[in-house]
Amino acid sequence: MSDSRLFKMLYYLLDRERATAPELAAEFEVSTRTVSRDIDALSSAGIPIYAEPGRNGGIYLLHDFILDRAILSENERQEILTAIQSIFATGYAGGKETLTKLSALFNINTRNWLEVDFSRWGKRTYDNSKFEKLKTAVIQCKEIKIVYENTNSKRSKRIVQPLKISYKSKEWYLKAFCMEKQDFRIFKLNRILELELLENTFVPKPYPDIENNSQQTYHQIVLLFSKETAYRVYDEFDTTEIEYQKNGDLIVCAEMPVDTWLVSYLLSFGAQVEIIEPKYLKGVLAAQAQEIYKKNKP
């Protein structure tokens, strides 16, 4: 016996109010004997379902039957409403009527418990509109033209086929197929400086499950942070990568790409960070700090 068929049969009766056994048998491609067994199964599960013989008879549900009490637990009902509400938090507005109806059906008052803001401080209008355009492009399979700044401060114009918006490590990314490179690429949303939604549509290609990291080399980095920066360390590194010292300082051991971004990132800690490994990176950081000093000395 198929639980899926029982559920579909229940919805069919809720929609049609009444049906005959031959009608249900034809709809679900089973015999009338199987329909009878399904009706018995629903009745045994506590569904108020009835069968009346005769010309004007048929199979029907009790008029005031409430679906949630028989099929969905309280937690399941709440999870459904929470899932719908989470979608609205991203800015999607087409479905609030559904949420209202289900809230009434389930007899649950929903609370506005979640808020998602895609913007950086002071960039609310542009960042949110950019996210909306990207969402539209992904859903409607439309190509976009972007101006993008990479980690080497090189700016380029590209036409890409957006496949998925991804959130990872406190940052938003766009997974897409780049028409220029004819390959899959990941773009950081904050570095998409301009975006134009095109009319060209495309058939989406499945994004590879295993990301191609050949462009980025990761090294084992060991850093010593002073206790004054502990709040940042816990914000930006996993606790498994952090070793707490008796004096309050923190040692971090993590795999990171050694590039211009890492140097800039470490400089943002000022004198509150010391490089333990690799040794050569100490010289790179010191040289950069010296350049900063030359440009800004009084």
Short mmCIF file of all heavy atoms in Angstrom, two decimals, residues 174-216:
data_model
loop_
_atom_site.label_atom_id
_atom_site.label_comp_id
_atom_site.label_asym_id
_atom_site.label_seq_id
_atom_site.Cartn_x
_atom_site.Cartn_y
_atom_site.Cartn_z
N LEU A 174 27.99 33.88 -6.37
CA LEU A 174 27.20 33.44 -7.51
C LEU A 174 27.94 32.32 -8.22
O LEU A 174 29.09 32.51 -8.65
CB LEU A 174 26.96 34.60 -8.48
CG LEU A 174 26.26 34.22 -9.79
CD1 LEU A 174 24.81 33.81 -9.53
CD2 LEU A 174 26.31 35.36 -10.80
N LYS A 175 27.31 31.17 -8.32
CA LYS A 175 27.86 30.07 -9.11
C LYS A 175 27.28 30.19 -10.51
O LYS A 175 26.06 30.24 -10.68
CB LYS A 175 27.51 28.72 -8.48
CG LYS A 175 28.18 28.48 -7.13
CD LYS A 175 27.88 27.10 -6.60
CE LYS A 175 28.65 26.81 -5.31
NZ LYS A 175 28.40 25.45 -4.80
N ALA A 176 28.17 30.22 -11.52
CA ALA A 176 27.69 30.49 -12.86
C ALA A 176 28.59 29.83 -13.90
O ALA A 176 29.68 29.33 -13.59
CB ALA A 176 27.66 32.00 -13.11
N PHE A 177 28.09 29.82 -15.14
CA PHE A 177 28.88 29.35 -16.28
C PHE A 177 29.31 30.58 -17.06
O PHE A 177 28.47 31.35 -17.55
CB PHE A 177 28.08 28.41 -17.17
CG PHE A 177 28.87 27.81 -18.29
CD1 PHE A 177 29.66 26.68 -18.07
CD2 PHE A 177 28.85 28.36 -19.57
CE1 PHE A 177 30.41 26.13 -19.10
CE2 PHE A 177 29.59 27.81 -20.60
CZ PHE A 177 30.37 26.68 -20.36
N CYS A 178 30.63 30.80 -17.15
CA CYS A 178 31.17 31.98 -17.83
C CYS A 178 31.27 31.71 -19.33
O CYS A 178 31.92 30.76 -19.75
CB CYS A 178 32.55 32.32 -17.25
SG CYS A 178 33.33 33.74 -18.05
N MET A 179 30.62 32.57 -20.12
CA MET A 179 30.62 32.38 -21.57
C MET A 179 32.01 32.65 -22.17
O MET A 179 32.40 32.01 -23.14
CB MET A 179 29.59 33.33 -22.21
CG MET A 179 28.17 33.11 -21.69
SD MET A 179 27.59 31.42 -21.99
CE MET A 179 27.39 31.46 -23.77
N GLU A 180 32.76 33.58 -21.58
CA GLU A 180 34.09 33.89 -22.10
C GLU A 180 35.06 32.74 -21.85
O GLU A 180 35.80 32.32 -22.75
CB GLU A 180 34.62 35.15 -21.43
CG GLU A 180 36.02 35.53 -21.87
CD GLU A 180 36.58 36.71 -21.08
OE1 GLU A 180 35.80 37.36 -20.36
OE2 GLU A 180 37.78 36.96 -21.20
N LYS A 181 35.07 32.20 -20.64
CA LYS A 181 36.00 31.13 -20.28
C LYS A 181 35.48 29.76 -20.67
O LYS A 181 36.22 28.77 -20.66
CB LYS A 181 36.25 31.14 -18.77
CG LYS A 181 36.80 32.45 -18.24
CD LYS A 181 38.18 32.75 -18.79
CE LYS A 181 38.75 34.02 -18.17
NZ LYS A 181 40.08 34.35 -18.71
N GLN A 182 34.16 29.70 -20.99
CA GLN A 182 33.51 28.41 -21.29
C GLN A 182 33.77 27.39 -20.18
O GLN A 182 34.14 26.25 -20.42
CB GLN A 182 33.99 27.88 -22.65
CG GLN A 182 33.37 28.59 -23.84
CD GLN A 182 31.87 28.37 -23.92
OE1 GLN A 182 31.39 27.25 -24.09
NE2 GLN A 182 31.10 29.44 -23.80
N ASP A 183 33.56 27.87 -18.96
CA ASP A 183 33.80 27.02 -17.79
C ASP A 183 33.00 27.57 -16.62
O ASP A 183 32.53 28.71 -16.64
CB ASP A 183 35.29 26.99 -17.45
CG ASP A 183 35.66 25.79 -16.58
OD1 ASP A 183 34.76 24.97 -16.29
OD2 ASP A 183 36.83 25.68 -16.19
N PHE A 184 32.86 26.74 -15.59
CA PHE A 184 32.14 27.16 -14.39
C PHE A 184 33.02 28.08 -13.54
O PHE A 184 34.23 27.86 -13.42
CB PHE A 184 31.72 25.94 -13.58
CG PHE A 184 30.75 25.04 -14.30
CD1 PHE A 184 31.19 23.92 -14.99
CD2 PHE A 184 29.39 25.34 -14.31
CE1 PHE A 184 30.29 23.10 -15.66
CE2 PHE A 184 28.49 24.53 -14.98
CZ PHE A 184 28.94 23.41 -15.66
N ARG A 185 32.40 29.10 -12.96
CA ARG A 185 33.13 30.05 -12.14
C ARG A 185 32.28 30.44 -10.92
O ARG A 185 31.05 30.32 -10.94
CB ARG A 185 33.47 31.31 -12.93
CG ARG A 185 34.53 31.11 -13.99
CD ARG A 185 35.90 30.90 -13.36
NE ARG A 185 36.97 30.87 -14.35
CZ ARG A 185 37.41 29.79 -14.97
NH1 ARG A 185 36.81 28.62 -14.74
NH2 ARG A 185 38.40 29.85 -15.83
N ILE A 186 32.97 30.92 -9.88
CA ILE A 186 32.29 31.45 -8.70
C ILE A 186 32.66 32.92 -8.57
O ILE A 186 33.84 33.28 -8.62
CB ILE A 186 32.71 30.69 -7.42
CG1 ILE A 186 32.26 29.23 -7.51
CG2 ILE A 186 32.09 31.34 -6.18
CD1 ILE A 186 32.62 28.41 -6.28
N PHE A 187 31.64 33.78 -8.42
CA PHE A 187 31.86 35.21 -8.30
C PHE A 187 31.35 35.70 -6.94
O PHE A 187 30.23 35.37 -6.53
CB PHE A 187 31.10 35.96 -9.41
CG PHE A 187 31.50 35.54 -10.80
CD1 PHE A 187 30.75 34.58 -11.48
CD2 PHE A 187 32.61 36.10 -11.42
CE1 PHE A 187 31.11 34.19 -12.76
CE2 PHE A 187 32.97 35.70 -12.70
CZ PHE A 187 32.23 34.75 -13.37
N LYS A 188 32.17 36.48 -6.26
CA LYS A 188 31.75 37.06 -4.99
C LYS A 188 30.81 38.23 -5.28
O LYS A 188 31.13 39.11 -6.07
CB LYS A 188 32.98 37.54 -4.22
CG LYS A 188 32.70 37.85 -2.76
CD LYS A 188 34.01 38.14 -2.03
CE LYS A 188 33.77 38.36 -0.56
NZ LYS A 188 35.04 38.60 0.17
N LEU A 189 29.63 38.22 -4.64
CA LEU A 189 28.62 39.22 -4.97
C LEU A 189 29.10 40.64 -4.75
O LEU A 189 28.78 41.54 -5.53
CB LEU A 189 27.34 38.97 -4.15
CG LEU A 189 26.21 38.25 -4.92
CD1 LEU A 189 26.67 36.89 -5.41
CD2 LEU A 189 24.97 38.12 -4.05
N ASN A 190 29.88 40.87 -3.69
CA ASN A 190 30.35 42.22 -3.40
C ASN A 190 31.28 42.76 -4.47
O ASN A 190 31.45 43.97 -4.60
CB ASN A 190 31.07 42.26 -2.04
CG ASN A 190 30.10 42.14 -0.89
OD1 ASN A 190 28.90 42.34 -1.04
ND2 ASN A 190 30.62 41.81 0.28
N ARG A 191 31.89 41.85 -5.25
CA ARG A 191 32.82 42.29 -6.29
C ARG A 191 32.14 42.42 -7.66
O ARG A 191 32.80 42.74 -8.64
CB ARG A 191 34.00 41.32 -6.39
CG ARG A 191 34.86 41.30 -5.13
CD ARG A 191 36.15 40.55 -5.38
NE ARG A 191 36.77 40.18 -4.12
CZ ARG A 191 37.30 39.00 -3.85
NH1 ARG A 191 37.26 38.05 -4.77
NH2 ARG A 191 37.85 38.74 -2.69
N ILE A 192 30.86 42.13 -7.72
CA ILE A 192 30.10 42.39 -8.95
C ILE A 192 29.72 43.87 -8.91
O ILE A 192 28.80 44.27 -8.20
CB ILE A 192 28.86 41.49 -9.06
CG1 ILE A 192 29.28 40.02 -9.13
CG2 ILE A 192 28.03 41.87 -10.29
CD1 ILE A 192 28.11 39.05 -9.18
N LEU A 193 30.45 44.69 -9.64
CA LEU A 193 30.29 46.14 -9.54
C LEU A 193 29.13 46.66 -10.38
O LEU A 193 28.51 47.66 -10.04
CB LEU A 193 31.60 46.83 -9.96
CG LEU A 193 32.86 46.34 -9.22
CD1 LEU A 193 34.09 47.07 -9.73
CD2 LEU A 193 32.70 46.51 -7.72
N GLU A 194 28.88 46.00 -11.49
CA GLU A 194 27.75 46.36 -12.35
C GLU A 194 27.07 45.08 -12.81
O GLU A 194 27.72 44.05 -12.98
CB GLU A 194 28.21 47.17 -13.57
CG GLU A 194 28.83 48.51 -13.22
CD GLU A 194 29.32 49.25 -14.47
OE1 GLU A 194 28.80 48.97 -15.58
OE2 GLU A 194 30.23 50.10 -14.34
N LEU A 195 25.77 45.17 -12.99
CA LEU A 195 25.01 43.97 -13.38
C LEU A 195 23.85 44.38 -14.29
O LEU A 195 23.10 45.30 -13.97
CB LEU A 195 24.46 43.28 -12.13
CG LEU A 195 23.80 41.91 -12.30
CD1 LEU A 195 23.92 41.11 -11.01
CD2 LEU A 195 22.31 42.05 -12.65
N GLU A 196 23.75 43.70 -15.42
CA GLU A 196 22.66 43.96 -16.37
C GLU A 196 21.96 42.64 -16.70
O GLU A 196 22.61 41.67 -17.09
CB GLU A 196 23.20 44.60 -17.64
CG GLU A 196 22.12 44.90 -18.67
CD GLU A 196 22.69 45.44 -19.97
OE1 GLU A 196 23.90 45.77 -20.00
OE2 GLU A 196 21.93 45.52 -20.95
N LEU A 197 20.67 42.62 -16.53
CA LEU A 197 19.86 41.45 -16.84
C LEU A 197 19.55 41.43 -18.34
O LEU A 197 18.97 42.37 -18.86
CB LEU A 197 18.56 41.48 -16.03
CG LEU A 197 17.66 40.25 -16.08
CD1 LEU A 197 18.38 39.03 -15.49
CD2 LEU A 197 16.37 40.52 -15.32
N LEU A 198 19.98 40.36 -19.02
CA LEU A 198 19.78 40.26 -20.46
C LEU A 198 18.52 39.45 -20.78
O LEU A 198 17.99 38.75 -19.93
CB LEU A 198 21.01 39.60 -21.11
CG LEU A 198 22.36 40.27 -20.82
CD1 LEU A 198 23.49 39.47 -21.48
CD2 LEU A 198 22.37 41.71 -21.32
N GLU A 199 18.09 39.55 -22.03
CA GLU A 199 16.90 38.82 -22.47
C GLU A 199 17.24 37.40 -22.92
O GLU A 199 16.35 36.55 -23.03
CB GLU A 199 16.20 39.57 -23.59
CG GLU A 199 15.54 40.88 -23.15
CD GLU A 199 14.50 40.63 -22.05
OE1 GLU A 199 13.74 39.66 -22.14
OE2 GLU A 199 14.45 41.44 -21.11
N ASN A 200 18.52 37.13 -23.19
CA ASN A 200 18.91 35.80 -23.65
C ASN A 200 18.67 34.76 -22.55
O ASN A 200 19.10 34.94 -21.41
CB ASN A 200 20.40 35.78 -24.02
CG ASN A 200 20.71 36.76 -25.15
OD1 ASN A 200 19.83 37.16 -25.89
ND2 ASN A 200 21.96 37.15 -25.26
N THR A 201 18.01 33.69 -22.90
CA THR A 201 17.78 32.60 -21.95
C THR A 201 18.73 31.44 -22.26
O THR A 201 19.35 31.39 -23.32
CB THR A 201 16.32 32.11 -22.01
OG1 THR A 201 16.03 31.67 -23.34
CG2 THR A 201 15.36 33.23 -21.63
N PHE A 202 18.84 30.53 -21.32
CA PHE A 202 19.75 29.41 -21.49
C PHE A 202 19.20 28.18 -20.79
O PHE A 202 18.32 28.27 -19.92
CB PHE A 202 21.14 29.74 -20.91
CG PHE A 202 21.13 30.01 -19.43
CD1 PHE A 202 21.37 28.99 -18.52
CD2 PHE A 202 20.87 31.29 -18.95
CE1 PHE A 202 21.35 29.23 -17.16
CE2 PHE A 202 20.86 31.55 -17.58
CZ PHE A 202 21.10 30.52 -16.68
N VAL A 203 19.70 27.03 -21.19
CA VAL A 203 19.36 25.77 -20.52
C VAL A 203 20.41 25.55 -19.43
O VAL A 203 21.60 25.43 -19.74
CB VAL A 203 19.36 24.59 -21.51
CG1 VAL A 203 19.07 23.29 -20.77
CG2 VAL A 203 18.34 24.82 -22.61
N PRO A 204 20.02 25.57 -18.17
CA PRO A 204 21.02 25.49 -17.09
C PRO A 204 21.80 24.18 -17.08
O PRO A 204 21.24 23.11 -17.26
CB PRO A 204 20.17 25.63 -15.82
CG PRO A 204 18.78 25.24 -16.23
CD PRO A 204 18.65 25.64 -17.66
N LYS A 205 23.10 24.32 -16.88
CA LYS A 205 23.98 23.15 -16.75
C LYS A 205 24.15 22.85 -15.26
O LYS A 205 24.23 23.78 -14.46
CB LYS A 205 25.34 23.43 -17.38
CG LYS A 205 25.30 23.92 -18.82
CD LYS A 205 26.68 24.32 -19.29
CE LYS A 205 26.67 24.86 -20.71
NZ LYS A 205 25.91 26.13 -20.85
N PRO A 206 24.19 21.60 -14.88
CA PRO A 206 24.40 21.28 -13.46
C PRO A 206 25.78 21.71 -13.00
O PRO A 206 26.79 21.37 -13.64
CB PRO A 206 24.23 19.76 -13.40
CG PRO A 206 24.49 19.28 -14.79
CD PRO A 206 24.06 20.38 -15.70
N TYR A 207 25.84 22.48 -11.92
CA TYR A 207 27.13 22.92 -11.41
C TYR A 207 27.85 21.72 -10.79
O TYR A 207 27.24 20.94 -10.07
CB TYR A 207 26.95 24.01 -10.36
CG TYR A 207 28.22 24.77 -10.08
CD1 TYR A 207 28.54 25.92 -10.80
CD2 TYR A 207 29.11 24.34 -9.11
CE1 TYR A 207 29.71 26.60 -10.58
CE2 TYR A 207 30.29 25.01 -8.88
CZ TYR A 207 30.58 26.15 -9.60
OH TYR A 207 31.75 26.82 -9.37
N PRO A 208 29.13 21.55 -11.07
CA PRO A 208 29.86 20.38 -10.54
C PRO A 208 29.78 20.31 -9.02
O PRO A 208 29.89 21.32 -8.33
CB PRO A 208 31.30 20.63 -11.00
CG PRO A 208 31.18 21.55 -12.17
CD PRO A 208 29.99 22.41 -11.90
N ASP A 209 29.58 19.10 -8.51
CA ASP A 209 29.50 18.91 -7.06
C ASP A 209 30.83 19.23 -6.39
O ASP A 209 30.86 19.80 -5.30
CB ASP A 209 29.10 17.46 -6.73
CG ASP A 209 27.67 17.17 -7.14
OD1 ASP A 209 26.88 18.13 -7.19
OD2 ASP A 209 27.35 16.00 -7.40
N ILE A 210 31.91 18.86 -7.03
CA ILE A 210 33.25 19.11 -6.49
C ILE A 210 33.80 20.35 -7.17
O ILE A 210 34.02 20.37 -8.37
CB ILE A 210 34.20 17.92 -6.73
CG1 ILE A 210 33.62 16.66 -6.08
CG2 ILE A 210 35.58 18.23 -6.17
CD1 ILE A 210 34.43 15.42 -6.34
N GLU A 211 34.00 21.39 -6.37
CA GLU A 211 34.47 22.64 -6.92
C GLU A 211 35.92 22.50 -7.38
O GLU A 211 36.73 21.82 -6.77
CB GLU A 211 34.36 23.76 -5.88
CG GLU A 211 32.92 24.03 -5.47
CD GLU A 211 32.84 25.07 -4.37
OE1 GLU A 211 33.91 25.61 -4.01
OE2 GLU A 211 31.74 25.32 -3.89
N ASN A 212 36.21 23.19 -8.48
CA ASN A 212 37.57 23.15 -9.01
C ASN A 212 38.43 24.16 -8.26
O ASN A 212 38.32 25.36 -8.45
CB ASN A 212 37.53 23.50 -10.51
CG ASN A 212 38.91 23.44 -11.13
OD1 ASN A 212 39.85 22.95 -10.52
ND2 ASN A 212 39.01 23.94 -12.35
N ASN A 213 39.28 23.65 -7.39
CA ASN A 213 40.13 24.53 -6.59
C ASN A 213 41.54 24.66 -7.18
O ASN A 213 42.46 25.11 -6.51
CB ASN A 213 40.25 23.98 -5.16
CG ASN A 213 38.94 24.11 -4.42
OD1 ASN A 213 38.21 25.09 -4.57
ND2 ASN A 213 38.61 23.11 -3.61
N SER A 214 41.71 24.27 -8.43
CA SER A 214 43.04 24.30 -9.03
C SER A 214 43.58 25.73 -9.14
O SER A 214 44.78 25.94 -9.19
CB SER A 214 43.01 23.66 -10.42
OG SER A 214 42.09 24.34 -11.27
N GLN A 215 42.66 26.72 -9.18
CA GLN A 215 43.11 28.10 -9.31
C GLN A 215 43.61 28.64 -7.97
O GLN A 215 44.27 29.67 -7.93
CB GLN A 215 41.95 28.98 -9.81
CG GLN A 215 41.46 28.58 -11.18
CD GLN A 215 40.27 29.41 -11.60
OE1 GLN A 215 39.55 29.94 -10.78
NE2 GLN A 215 40.06 29.53 -12.88
N GLN A 216 43.28 28.03 -6.88
CA GLN A 216 43.61 28.53 -5.56
C GLN A 216 44.39 27.48 -4.80
O GLN A 216 43.94 26.35 -4.63
CB GLN A 216 42.31 28.87 -4.82
CG GLN A 216 42.51 29.77 -3.63
CD GLN A 216 42.58 31.23 -4.03
OE1 GLN A 216 43.42 31.63 -4.82
NE2 GLN A 216 41.70 32.03 -3.48
#
